[in-house]
Amino acid sequence: MGHSYRIWLAAACLALTACHVHCAVDLDDMPLADETISAGHGKETDTGIADREGVEHAFRGNSEKFEFQAEVNRLMDILINSLYSNKDVFLRELISNSADALDKIRFLSLTDKSQLGMGNDADLDIRMSIDKEQRTLTIRDKGVGMTKADLKNNLGTIAKSGTSAFLEQMQKGGDVNLIGQFGVGFYSVYLVADYVEVTSKHNDDKQYVWESNASGGYAISEDTEGEQLGRGTQIKLFLKEETQEYLEEAKLKELVEKYSEFINFPIYLYASKEVDVPADEAADAEADESEVSDEDEDAADDEDVEDEEEEEEAAPKTVKETRWGWELLNDNKALWLRSANDVDEEEYDKFFQAISKTTDKPLAYSHFKAEGDVEFKSILFIPGKAPYDFMNNYYQNKPSLKLYVRRVFISDDFEELIPKYLSFVQGIVDSDTLPLQVSRENLQQHAALKTIKKKLVRKALDMIRKLADAETDFEAEDADKSDTEAAEDAKKYSTFWKEFGKAIKLGIIEDVQNRQRLAKLMRFETSKSGSKEIGLDAYIANMKEGQKSIYYLAGETKEELENSPFSEQLLEKGYEIIYFTDPVDEYVMQNLMEYDDFKFQSASKEDLKLGDKDAKKENKRLKEEFRGVVTWWKAALADPEVENVKISTRLASTPCVVVTSKYGWSANMERIMRAQALGDAERQSYMKGKRILEINPRHPLIQQVKDKFEADPENGPNALAKILYETALLESGFQVKSPKAFNSRIYTLIKDAMDLKGDLTVSPQDDSIEEDDEAEDLDAADQDADVSDESLEREEL
């Protein structure tokens, strides 16, 4: 019981300790930064040292000094060098703790309004200011504050916990969850500061100052001379020489925007700003005198000046003046904390523009709250345009989701939250219960993370599906085509597919669990769709009665596929063929075997079944009739890559075609792999499908080959068989093994067609003709030289 209470108390102190306050919001009523920050206890400490740069800080003379009980040097080394990889997080930790302290006092005030106080004390905010001369950064809030006992017991939490076992476990990378102990977050200040003062005032105690440089001890004293906070905590950091960048306003604004943009309390920075103000009277008089002199000179130079120009009133004089005041840094509200019913579309658009840093509107959004084992809130957006290098850097792309815990930014680099193919989805994920490691920079490997990822993927796919459904509904016959809003929504999915279609295809390859959902989102042109793209559901709705397969063909262009010999019988019988022209489609179809109980069938691979009973009977008869021909043909080719010669059921007007085995690469896939600059040719050879020559038994050329073979089986037309095979290779998209041998056979055919006698040996060149040509060239050169000499002589004369 005692141990649990101490853990609870330490966790509560995480909320209590980073409280750094300023009292008024009105710019005109606010004191200067130096008056607010350096007064009181700051003066006491500064007078204890002669010079900030030259002498170490000394504890106050009236302070009560304590020694850390743990091996502080080792402990701080672990915290600074092991847990935090980025110094910037110190500000995130302190602001987060301030927000926790403000939440605490607000909660207490629900049952006791006197806890909150009156006037400025009731304004719950966080204020930061810098002093470049003193090299200090001050953070102040009006949270619950700490008593003297809290300062002593809880700012030393790390020291108290720093046993040898703890140190050894941390050094080994053990899973120690210390997020509930204030010291871990607070001590991140020593990433940037070498001395820290914490001034705190609790409603139940006096105001005290805690100070330490983490070198082995700390001191606590009552603050009797410093500015009275009223309630809350102020942390003053004396920055190290190498961390002076945190004294720049721009740097602090950048960190607040990155890490604490959606903190539930206003965050102010005492900053400078140049404004135009009216010039003083002396400056106005001098300016007026100068204007009179200028007008006299102008009149002397030009007497035709128009009256209206002379009567023009002089523009009001202004000068640039630097003014200091409190600047609000986090004006964006945490929209995801509100109910989706209370947020309109314009607010979603503005929020998307704020997190995406663009002026575009999103295509779709999803605002939801997940409940169950893991609870979190989220808003997801689908942008209208992909980044210019989205696919070029696909595997290097970072997720576009930002992870928050209690509105504090944790990271935007969690690949565990969403898969690569959905990295274009932008938005916010905020969880109050997500377990974190002590530095808040890395998520623990926890089952909750898998649950969050599963829900995010489901919601993202639902968003995309709704876009697709809007397109389908508008294209239905009974849809109201005059509905302009529905027409605009219908166009969104075509925009989405153009920008992110490749990512969805890669998702089909990578995400086995959601493969069917992703396949439903695919769009493609077909043999019947014209220039319009349709989906698989529309294809199935148009299928012929009795059709059992989804037919597709992959190639470089649609025009090539429309004229492909592979699709002749399919088109003739009225089947619809899907045309895939994107190189990634080949990879997709190697993973997508079926959809809605229909198998995919490539028109360029063997065993193409058309489901025609009469055709099956005819094919069986032709196989028997050409049995001897196909056996001879395979032997005549004598090519180990040719697995078989068969009677084709896919050809109508082409004599023959080469297809591949069912599980090997198609001709188009071989072409794609050959184009890979770093491809392994030896490895690719294992993936090449065996080639099968399919012949069209009804074609006249094939009939002629059959007749020649049957007339003389011992001396069949082998040359003709090879030429037909190699021609079919080229038409089917393959490469011939020996282009020279193929060309030689073609030339022989041309010779026979032209009835040329003898061979095609080229006649030798006549050397005497060549010599005569050389002599003529020399004579011509001499003549040109003579002409040039004559021209030069004339020029000299």
Side-chain angles (χ1 to χ4, degrees):
M1 175 68 180
H3 177 68
S4 300
Y5 174 77
R6 286 194 298 273
I7 295 240
W8 176 88
L9 180 60
C13 290
L14 173 64
L16 306 184
T17 310
C19 317
H20 341 72
V21 153
H22 267 292
C23 299
V25 179
D26 188 354
L27 180 64
D28 296 332
D29 295 337
M30 289 307 302
L32 295 176
D34 290 351
E35 295 174 357
T36 303
I37 297 164
S38 300
H41 66 270
K43 291 179 180 178
E44 174 78 19
T45 302
D46 290 340
T47 56
I49 56 172
D51 189 357
R52 168 82 173 93
E53 299 182 8
V55 183
E56 292 186 359
H57 288 279
F59 293 150
R60 298 164 186 263
N62 62 342
S63 63
E64 186 178 357
K65 300 173 181 60
F66 302 88
E67 292 293 329
F68 288 118
Q69 297 178 1
E71 303 168 77
V72 176
N73 291 332
R74 288 181 61 198
L75 194 57
M76 296 305 298
D77 181 67
I78 292 174
L79 286 173
I80 294 174
N81 298 319
S82 300
L83 296 182
Y84 293 96
S85 60
N86 182 2
K87 288 182 172 63
D88 292 346
V89 299
F90 87 92
L91 189 62
R92 180 191 71 186
E93 294 294 322
L94 295 183
I95 291 178
S96 176
N97 291 335
S98 291
D100 291 341
L102 291 168
D103 270 328
K104 179 67 174 178
I105 192 64
R106 183 168 60 179
F107 175 76
L108 294 174
S109 69
L110 295 177
T111 54
D112 183 2
K113 291 185 178 181
S114 64
Q115 291 281 343
L116 192 59
M118 303 293 290
N120 292 334
D121 289 343
D123 296 330
L124 302 182
D125 54 27
I126 302 168
R127 295 179 181 266
M128 301 186 298
S129 53
I130 54 179
D131 186 338
K132 291 187 177 182
E133 292 183 1
Q134 294 293 327
R135 297 181 187 174
T136 60
L137 168 63
T138 304
I139 304 172
R140 178 174 172 179
D141 68 49
K142 300 172 187 171
V144 71
M146 286 179 288
T147 64
K148 180 180 179 181
D150 292 333
L151 291 170
K152 179 180 178 180
N153 296 329
N154 297 309
L155 290 193
T157 299
I158 289 181
K160 289 167 57 182
S161 304
T163 62
S164 298
F166 166 77
L167 292 171
E168 291 173 5
Q169 190 169 8
M170 289 303 301
Q171 286 174 332
K172 292 177 182 178
D175 182 15
V176 179
N177 186 5
L178 294 179
I179 192 61
Q181 300 190 24
F182 171 80
V184 174
F186 168 74
Y187 272 90
S188 64
V189 298
Y190 290 104
L191 292 166
V192 297
D194 51 21
Y195 194 83
V196 179
E197 291 179 359
V198 180
T199 305
S200 192
K201 171 67 173 70
H202 190 278
N203 286 335
D204 297 336
D205 204 347
K206 300 176 182 178
Q207 181 166 308
Y208 288 91
V209 178
W210 180 99
E211 48 191 332
S212 173
N213 55 12
S215 62
Y218 61 93
I220 300 176
S221 59
E222 182 180 348
D223 188 9
T224 58
E225 298 182 4
E227 177 192 0
Q228 294 302 299
L229 301 180
R231 185 196 65 249
T233 301
Q234 175 177 284
I235 296 182
K236 188 173 185 178
L237 311 180
F238 292 84
L239 299 181
K240 301 176 183 177
E241 183 69 33
E242 65 272 17
T243 59
Q244 299 301 302
E245 61 179 316
Y246 298 106
L247 293 175
E248 299 297 329
E249 295 174 11
K251 181 66 175 179
L252 297 178
K253 291 177 182 178
E254 175 192 341
L255 296 183
V256 170
E257 181 180 359
K258 180 177 181 180
Y259 291 110
S260 308
E261 183 178 12
F262 299 107
I263 286 290
N264 209 27
F265 300 96
I267 302 172
Y268 293 95
L269 174 65
Y270 196 72
S272 62
K273 183 179 181 181
E274 285 194 349
V275 295
D276 292 327
V277 298
D280 57 26
E281 295 180 1
D284 285 343
E286 183 179 350
D288 291 340
E289 184 178 350
S290 176
E291 287 176 5
V292 170
S293 176
D294 291 341
E295 288 176 0
D296 291 340
E297 292 177 3
D298 292 341
D301 293 338
D302 188 359
E303 297 179 357
D304 297 329
V305 177
E306 296 181 357
D307 293 340
E308 58 267 25
E309 291 182 356
E310 293 178 353
E311 295 174 358
E312 284 181 354
E313 295 183 1
K317 294 297 179 179
T318 59
V319 294
K320 294 288 185 181
E321 182 176 302
T322 301
R323 289 192 175 181
W324 291 79
W326 294 106
E327 180 180 348
L328 181 64
L329 302 184
N330 60 333
D331 55 347
N332 287 321
K333 301 303 179 183
L335 201 66
W336 63 87
L337 299 179
R338 295 165 55 185
S339 169
N341 297 328
D342 299 332
V343 185
D344 58 33
E345 188 168 346
E346 184 178 354
E347 289 179 287
Y348 283 120
D349 291 344
K350 289 181 179 180
F351 186 76
F352 170 74
Q353 292 166 357
I355 64 173
S356 65
K357 312 303 180 188
T358 67
T359 57
D360 302 328
K361 292 184 178 181
L363 288 176
Y365 59 83
S366 178
H367 183 181
F368 63 95
K369 178 181 179 181
E371 297 179 338
D373 296 338
V374 180
E375 294 186 359
F376 66 93
K377 303 177 184 69
S378 179
I379 300 181
L380 304 179
F381 296 94
I382 297 177
K385 190 171 182 60
Y388 72 95
D389 59 346
F390 177 62
M391 292 311 303
N392 292 338
N393 296 319
Y394 175 78
Y395 289 104
Q396 287 74 43
N397 285 337
K398 293 183 178 180
S400 299
L401 289 181
K402 295 183 178 181
L403 177 64
Y404 286 74
V405 173
R406 301 178 68 182
R407 299 176 300 283
V408 177
F409 174 73
I410 301 301
S411 178
D412 56 1
D413 192 19
F414 281 123
E415 296 185 2
E416 296 85 356
L417 277 180
I418 201 159
K420 280 288 184 186
Y421 70 91
L422 289 176
S423 61
F424 60 86
V425 176
Q426 300 187 19
I428 301 290
V429 179
D430 187 1
S431 173
D432 290 345
T433 58
L434 195 64
L436 300 172
Q437 285 183 354
V438 60
S439 69
R440 298 189 182 184
E441 292 184 281
N442 300 298
L443 279 176
Q444 292 176 345
Q445 295 301 316
H446 196 277
L449 201 60
K450 295 181 180 179
T451 304
I452 292 176
K453 179 179 180 178
K454 184 177 180 181
K455 291 182 178 180
L456 290 176
V457 171
R458 183 67 60 86
K459 287 293 184 179
L461 295 183
D462 284 345
M463 265 196 302
I464 301 172
R465 178 186 55 78
K466 289 177 181 178
L467 287 177
D469 290 346
E471 179 187 59
T472 304
D473 294 343
F474 185 76
E475 292 173 353
E477 294 182 1
D478 56 348
D480 182 8
K481 300 298 189 290
S482 62
D483 188 343
T484 56
E485 184 176 350
E488 288 298 320
D489 291 340
K491 293 178 183 178
K492 289 182 178 180
Y493 191 72
S494 60
T495 301
F496 167 82
W497 186 252
K498 178 182 177 182
E499 297 292 332
F500 305 108
K502 260 193 174 72
I504 298 301
K505 292 176 182 179
L506 291 172
I508 295 174
I509 299 171
E510 299 168 0
D511 192 348
V512 178
Q513 185 176 359
N514 293 296
R515 184 166 288 163
Q516 291 298 308
R517 292 189 183 92
L518 292 166
K520 189 181 185 71
L521 303 174
M522 289 178 67
R523 292 295 183 268
F524 39 74
E525 293 182 353
T526 72
S527 56
K528 293 183 177 181
S529 69
S531 60
K532 178 185 174 184
E533 291 184 327
I534 65 171
L536 286 171
D537 289 337
Y539 178 94
I540 292 174
N542 297 333
M543 287 173 62
K544 288 183 63 176
E545 185 177 353
Q547 182 177 340
K548 296 181 179 179
S549 299
I550 299 174
Y551 300 111
Y552 72 91
L553 195 56
E556 288 191 76
T557 64
K558 182 182 178 182
E559 291 73 17
E560 172 194 320
L561 298 177
E562 287 175 333
N563 298 308
S564 172
F566 296 117
S567 59
E568 289 177 353
Q569 278 289 348
L570 289 170
L571 296 177
E572 193 171 283
K573 293 181 178 295
Y575 291 103
E576 188 172 14
I577 305 173
I578 296 173
Y579 293 145
F580 288 131
T581 56
D582 191 340
V584 75
D585 292 334
E586 283 279 6
Y587 297 92
V588 171
M589 299 317 296
Q590 290 176 16
N591 293 273
L592 187 61
M593 300 301 178
E594 62 178 38
Y595 177 79
D596 200 14
D597 296 331
F598 290 97
K599 300 283 186 181
F600 283 95
Q601 172 68 59
S602 172
S604 65
K605 294 192 175 183
E606 67 171 334
D607 294 336
L608 180 65
K609 298 176 182 179
L610 302 180
D612 191 332
K613 294 182 179 180
D614 295 334
K616 288 181 181 179
K617 293 179 181 180
E618 177 65 12
N619 191 46
K620 186 176 182 181
R621 184 189 66 79
L622 290 171
K623 281 184 179 180
E624 189 64 32
E625 181 181 342
F626 280 78
R627 183 182 299 276
V629 176
V630 297
T631 303
W632 157 79
W633 205 323
K634 184 178 185 303
L637 294 177
D639 189 339
E641 291 185 352
V642 179
E643 185 178 49
N644 207 350
V645 179
K646 292 182 177 181
I647 300 299
S648 179
T649 60
R650 76 188 78 220
L651 297 176
S653 59
T654 303
C656 52
V657 72
V658 177
V659 300
T660 55
S661 55
K662 188 173 182 180
Y663 298 105
W665 285 346
S666 65
N668 187 56
M669 189 63 185
E670 285 190 25
R671 174 186 65 81
I672 293 171
M673 297 308 297
R674 282 197 305 271
Q676 304 299 317
L678 302 178
D680 186 345
E682 182 178 354
R683 186 177 180 182
Q684 291 176 9
S685 63
Y686 293 105
M687 294 301 299
K688 289 182 179 179
K690 288 293 185 180
R691 296 170 183 175
I692 299 165
L693 175 64
E694 290 190 0
I695 59 176
N696 183 356
R698 291 173 291 277
H699 197 279
L701 284 178
I702 304 302
Q703 290 285 350
Q704 185 68 14
V705 171
K706 176 176 176 291
D707 293 343
K708 285 181 177 293
F709 166 75
E710 291 177 346
D712 187 3
E714 297 296 329
N715 298 299
N718 290 7
L720 184 59
K722 290 181 180 180
I723 288 175
L724 284 170
Y725 168 68
E726 290 172 333
T727 305
L729 273 178
L730 293 174
E731 189 173 17
S732 303
F734 296 97
Q735 289 184 328
V736 294
K737 185 178 295 185
S738 175
K740 185 174 181 62
F742 171 69
N743 292 340
S744 178
R745 282 188 280 271
I746 293 296
Y747 295 149
T748 301
L749 277 180
I750 296 174
K751 184 198 92 168
D752 294 343
M754 298 176 68
D755 198 19
L756 295 176
K757 305 300 182 183
D759 56 23
L760 297 177
T761 304
V762 179
S763 301
Q765 185 174 350
D766 190 345
D767 294 338
S768 61
I769 296 175
E770 184 176 349
E771 292 175 358
D772 293 341
D773 292 341
E774 290 179 357
E776 290 177 2
D777 293 340
L778 289 173
D779 291 341
D782 291 340
Q783 292 176 5
D784 292 340
D786 292 341
V787 171
S788 299
D789 292 340
E790 292 176 2
S791 299
L792 289 172
E793 290 175 1
R794 284 196 297 269
E795 289 179 1
E796 291 175 356
L797 291 173

